[in-house]
Amino acid sequence: MDVIQVLGFTGQIFTGCLKGFQAFLTAGELGRDALQLQITLEWTRSRLDMWGTLWGLEKQEHLKDIRFRQFGMMALNHLVYINYCLEEFKTMDDIFPTLGDASKYVSTPAVSLARLSKSAEVTPDELEALRYKMKNLQGDAAAKEKVKWALQDGRALKMAETVKAMVEDLYTQFPPPAAESSPIIKNTYAASDSLDTLNYAANSSSSDPELARLCAFKAENIRLHLENRTEKLLSKDPERFDVLTSLRMHQKLDGTPDESRFLGRFREEGVSYSISVLTEQKTVNSKIIATSTLDNRIRNVARLLSLDSKPSELRTLNCLGVTISREEPRIYQFIYELKSKTFFTLADCIRTPTDKNINGMHRDKWPLEQKFNLAKQLARAVQYFHLAGWLHKGLRSSNVIFCADTAAEIDLSEPYILGFDYSRSEVARYETETVETTDKAEIAANAFRHPKTQGPPSDRAEFERKFDIYSLGMVLLDIGSKRSVPNLREKYGKMPEHAPATAEGFRDWLLNEAIDSDTTGLVARMGSRYADVAKVCLRGKFTGSYNGDANVAFFLEVLRQLQRCCA
């Protein structure tokens, strides 16, 4: 039998593997050992799912890759063996009587395992029998049988670890055509909105640390927004009544003061030394805005930013708390622990006089690999914000900072994200606050905002994930273009053929003309793959359906593509 025909069967084996996990992941109210088993199996399933997705197994895309055509039998053997292990779970008659007859579909699965690598000895009937088995291994067992099975001599947990090791071996010996991957994207625990499920995954010793951090963070986000908050919070009250000492205004690189950010020193009560802090200020007219809801939102944001267990992938500084001045105007200050004596924003790093900006001089001093790493870090941060059910609402170059004592020490691959003055939980629609655009800084920030979030308040849409993704696309453009985004918007506004200048028109001009031309030089400077990612973000539409899973779509069409960019 032709080797390619056998390799073409890989997708069905892969699908069978994924379905084989499901019988062990659906029972509720199980004992602790069984829950530990479920977490292990779900992590393994999601990691295997991501491996197959990156290879495109179900769509036969793996057959286009020379590595799979030459060495794919090793991967196929692993998949068959994983299926065999899962079947062994089910054919232990003393433990799993409901599923004990699954073996009837193929008499000896080990024969398929042993002979499938020898394609000439595998008959069409055997392949058809294995295909039939894959379709019929989906019987369900009663919850009590699963508990008994999970507790029986520890066999289930040992077998789960074997399967997990097999999946990890696939990544090691047969890595998919992508630089990085994460099973978090397809993990059902991470996608859950159940506090019980999230809390268990966050605290279980069998959880991967990355999964545990995300689940703990998401659970706290949910607890903060319960109508009747009865659950114990992990975070402490963030409002600080301490006094910042040695406070001085931070000067930007060009000498222009930033009226909302300050450098200072902060000393905890009872501690003999002080630390460097960055404070970020939000000023509001309390006669216009209902401050009770605003106070609550600001505190919630500060609580989440102060969590010790928050995912590092969010790229946020440690928040020491928030101060609230209840006079008129009302002033809020987030206090962040700074990892250096000062900081620089991404806007600072790429700001140059107009003539140099147009010629693309200063913007080329950063190594290309650092630019790619910066783009990947920011895309991953947006992915994690959304996985945690959080909307940033203010992503732009002035809100991306680098901790460094001097400009020469800046590392673009180590960004931190600020600008949480409008941020909120995705479910807290009642906390939506109208963005003020009366000062020059906010008007300039509109260059990074989605068109539907601009204009009169009555014309603005309710904020959603794709608006954060749009802002990410603008930041990617800012990183790679020979002109800054504000400079591009200014250029667009002066072109008579585009009068009257609108936010929608600016986006259309970027997508249909500027990104692909020398106006930005993005393709020549960063490559066509990078430019395509920026377009995907600005369009707000993904090319594939991915069964309606926006997290998978973002990973495959934005983050994964950025991971494949290289200098």
Side-chain angles (χ1 to χ4, degrees):
M1 180 173 291
D2 184 76
V3 172
I4 298 302
Q5 181 180 350
V6 176
L7 290 178
F9 189 55
T10 303
Q12 296 177 56
I13 299 289
F14 167 71
T15 302
C17 284
L18 297 183
K19 291 180 178 179
F21 281 102
Q22 297 308 311
F24 316 114
L25 301 175
T26 56
E29 301 180 359
L30 301 184
R32 186 173 184 83
D33 284 352
L35 286 171
Q36 181 181 344
L37 171 70
Q38 286 186 322
I39 287 179
T40 301
L41 286 175
E42 170 55 19
W43 178 261
T44 305
R45 183 209 62 79
S46 59
R47 187 143 173 82
L48 178 63
D49 194 353
M50 185 58 70
W51 180 85
T53 298
L54 294 176
W55 271 110
L57 294 185
E58 293 180 317
K59 296 182 179 179
Q60 303 288 299
E61 293 175 1
H62 60 293
L63 297 178
K64 302 175 184 177
D65 192 290
I66 186 63
R67 288 181 298 157
F68 214 104
R69 293 171 71 92
Q70 290 180 342
F71 308 111
M73 277 302 180
M74 184 279 287
L76 188 56
N77 283 344
H78 272 60
L79 291 174
V80 173
Y81 188 67
I82 289 170
N83 264 304
Y84 173 68
C85 289
L86 293 174
E87 182 180 329
E88 283 294 290
F89 283 160
K90 302 175 182 180
T91 56
M92 296 176 185
D93 291 341
D94 61 320
I95 303 173
F96 234 157
T98 304
L99 299 180
D101 61 351
S103 60
K104 68 183 181 182
Y105 300 113
V106 169
S107 58
T108 53
V111 171
S112 298
L113 171 66
R115 298 180 59 197
L116 198 54
S117 61
K118 302 176 182 178
S119 57
E121 298 182 13
V122 180
T123 68
D125 289 341
E126 284 180 311
L127 281 180
E128 184 59 31
L130 188 56
R131 182 180 292 109
Y132 185 65
K133 183 185 72 172
M134 293 299 107
K135 293 171 60 177
N136 289 280
L137 284 180
Q138 309 312 314
D140 286 326
K144 63 180 182 179
E145 292 176 357
K146 295 185 181 183
V147 175
K148 180 182 177 183
W149 172 72
L151 299 176
Q152 184 79 21
D153 300 328
R155 281 186 285 171
L157 293 174
K158 292 176 183 177
M159 187 67 80
E161 291 299 328
T162 299
V163 174
K164 184 177 181 180
M166 292 290 291
V167 173
E168 293 305 313
D169 196 40
L170 277 175
Y171 274 92
T172 302
Q173 302 297 331
F174 210 75
E180 303 170 47
S181 66
S182 172
I184 287 289
I185 309 304
K186 292 197 170 189
N187 192 286
T188 58
Y189 285 92
S192 175
D193 290 324
S194 164
L195 274 176
D196 289 340
T197 299
L198 291 169
N199 286 335
Y200 188 81
N203 298 310
S204 173
S205 60
S206 60
S207 290
D208 178 87
E210 182 183 1
L211 174 66
R213 287 192 300 268
L214 178 61
C215 288
F217 188 87
K218 186 174 182 179
E220 185 74 352
N221 188 22
I222 292 175
R223 280 190 291 269
L224 286 170
H225 295 91
L226 291 175
E227 185 174 353
N228 297 310
R229 189 187 294 171
T230 57
E231 296 280 341
K232 183 178 180 181
L233 296 176
L234 298 181
S235 54
K236 60 184 179 181
D237 184 353
E239 188 167 356
R240 304 297 296 255
F241 300 95
D242 318 57
V243 179
L244 285 171
T245 58
S246 305
L247 188 64
R248 64 181 176 84
M249 185 174 288
H250 172 62
Q251 300 291 316
K252 286 188 176 180
L253 294 181
D254 63 358
T256 303
D258 186 327
E259 297 179 354
S260 66
R261 290 175 182 158
F262 304 86
L263 287 176
R265 304 291 299 178
F266 185 80
R267 185 174 62 248
E268 295 279 2
E269 185 177 352
V271 178
S272 60
Y273 60 90
S274 61
I275 58 175
S276 296
V277 295
L278 159 64
T279 67
E280 193 166 39
Q281 180 173 297
K282 176 181 176 65
T283 303
V284 300
N285 186 337
S286 59
K287 296 180 180 179
I288 298 176
I289 298 175
T291 54
S292 58
T293 300
L294 179 58
D295 286 0
N296 189 58
R297 180 178 65 78
I298 294 292
R299 287 196 191 96
N300 286 343
V301 171
R303 279 181 177 274
L304 291 173
L305 291 173
S306 69
L307 278 178
D308 293 335
S309 60
K310 65 183 177 181
S312 59
E313 291 82 1
L314 291 173
R315 302 304 306 173
T316 60
L317 295 171
N318 178 37
C319 181
L320 299 176
V322 63
T323 64
I324 304 177
S325 172
R326 291 175 169 81
E327 299 177 355
E328 182 62 33
R330 208 175 188 91
I331 298 176
Y332 303 85
Q333 283 191 323
F334 290 99
I335 308 169
Y336 297 103
E337 182 178 359
L338 201 59
K339 298 178 179 293
S340 57
K341 295 179 181 177
T342 188
F343 71 95
F344 301 85
T345 71
L346 176 59
D348 292 335
C349 294
I350 58 183
R351 180 181 290 108
T352 55
T354 302
D355 57 338
K356 292 183 179 180
N357 193 331
I358 291 175
N359 293 325
M361 294 174 64
H362 179 73
R363 288 168 165 262
D364 282 333
K365 82 174 189 176
W366 304 106
L368 189 57
E369 62 269 19
Q370 279 201 28
K371 291 182 180 180
F372 286 146
N373 286 336
L374 170 60
K376 287 185 284 188
Q377 294 277 26
L378 295 178
R380 186 181 291 108
V382 170
Q383 177 100 76
Y384 268 73
F385 277 122
H386 293 171
L387 284 170
W390 200 5
L391 301 172
H392 184 275
K393 298 186 65 176
L395 190 62
R396 54 184 178 269
S397 294
S398 60
N399 284 335
V400 177
I401 73 162
F402 307 94
C403 297
D405 292 339
T406 65
E409 296 175 292
I410 293 174
D411 182 356
L412 288 192
S413 63
E414 288 292 326
Y416 291 94
I417 297 176
L418 294 177
F420 291 93
D421 44 338
Y422 293 104
S423 182
R424 66 170 175 85
S425 172
E426 194 169 17
V427 299
R429 294 182 174 90
Y430 59 90
E431 291 183 353
T432 293
E433 179 186 340
T434 300
V435 176
E436 298 290 337
T437 57
T438 55
D439 57 54
K440 292 181 63 175
E442 287 293 344
I443 292 174
N446 270 341
F448 293 87
R449 292 189 177 117
H450 192 280
K452 290 186 178 180
T453 65
Q454 301 181 41
S458 59
D459 295 343
R460 298 178 192 175
E462 181 178 299
F463 203 91
E464 51 186 304
R465 291 184 182 188
K466 69 178 181 180
F467 298 160
D468 270 343
I469 295 173
Y470 177 92
S471 296
L472 172 65
M474 282 299 192
V475 174
L476 296 180
L477 178 59
D478 214 19
I479 293 170
S481 172
K482 69 181 185 181
R483 286 183 170 92
S484 69
V485 166
N487 180 281
L488 286 167
R489 179 150 179 164
E490 182 179 356
K491 178 179 177 62
Y492 161 77
K494 293 179 179 179
M495 299 171 72
E497 64 268 32
H498 295 300
T502 64
E504 285 283 3
F506 179 51
R507 177 173 70 166
D508 292 343
W509 175 68
L510 289 174
L511 287 170
N512 300 328
E513 181 180 339
I515 288 179
D516 289 328
S517 71
D518 189 56
T519 302
T520 63
L522 191 65
V523 175
R525 295 160 63 87
M526 305 295 288
S528 58
R529 189 190 302 275
Y530 184 97
D532 287 343
V533 171
K535 289 181 183 178
V536 166
C537 293
L538 296 186
R539 288 195 185 101
K541 295 180 180 179
F542 299 108
T543 59
S545 64
Y546 310 103
N547 296 318
D549 193 329
N551 291 322
V552 173
F554 181 87
F555 175 80
L556 293 177
E557 297 194 20
V558 176
L559 181 52
R560 183 191 180 199
Q561 298 308 315
L562 291 174
Q563 290 171 348
R564 299 175 76 177
C565 293
C566 57

